[in-house]
Amino acid sequence: VQLQASGGGLVQAGGSLRLSCVASGGTFRRYNMGWFRQAPGKEREFVAAISWSTGNTYYADSVKGRFTISRDNAKNTVYLQMNSLKTEDTAVYYCAADPRKLTKVDYDYWGQGTQVTVSS
């Protein structure tokens, strides 16, 4: 499975961004999809995930109520809508796919990452 993330950029605190991730080379609808992020000097961390089988969504406490993950199986795309952005959301954001894992970091397939920078 190949993953291509896009939509990152520079935004002021309180603003919004929508990340997209297009998958190819696999059966998208059979994969859990996740978003992770890594800030400079920090480990990669879970942000959000959506189950392929139930459609249930999962969020890190730090983004709950501000971020929304969704998927469009017809377009092989997963989205991350990020609202009320904070400076601490600044990181490289990665999309990932896995047939089983949801919130753990060791997904099987990873995209290249897209930079999100939130200024104060």
Side-chain angles (χ1 to χ4, degrees):
V1 177
Q2 291 79 48
L3 303 171
Q4 182 72 39
S6 62
L10 174 64
V11 64
Q12 286 191 329
S16 298
L17 280 175
R18 188 176 82 155
L19 305 183
S20 300
C21 176
V22 180
S24 60
T27 306
F28 177 77
R29 64 181 184 277
R30 296 291 189 180
Y31 285 93
N32 297 329
M33 298 299 298
W35 287 97
F36 298 79
R37 66 187 181 187
Q38 188 166 18
K42 295 187 177 181
E43 293 185 351
R44 191 171 298 186
E45 64 175 4
F46 167 75
V47 175
I50 184 165
S51 167
W52 71 265
S53 58
T54 64
N56 289 344
T57 56
Y58 305 83
Y59 298 94
D61 288 343
S62 58
V63 307
K64 206 169 290 184
R66 300 188 297 122
F67 290 10
T68 302
I69 188 172
S70 61
R71 64 190 298 161
D72 185 338
N73 289 340
K75 295 182 178 180
N76 286 0
T77 302
V78 62
Y79 304 97
L80 185 68
Q81 178 66 44
M82 304 186 295
N83 298 329
S84 302
L85 282 161
K86 304 176 180 180
T87 55
E88 52 262 45
D89 294 319
T90 295
V92 177
Y93 283 70
Y94 299 89
C95 63
D98 195 282
R100 294 169 300 279
K101 301 181 188 73
L102 276 167
T103 62
K104 295 188 181 299
V105 177
D106 55 338
Y107 270 45
D108 283 350
Y109 304 100
W110 292 86
Q112 86 288 3
T114 184
Q115 176 70 47
V116 172
T117 302
V118 184
S119 64
S120 58

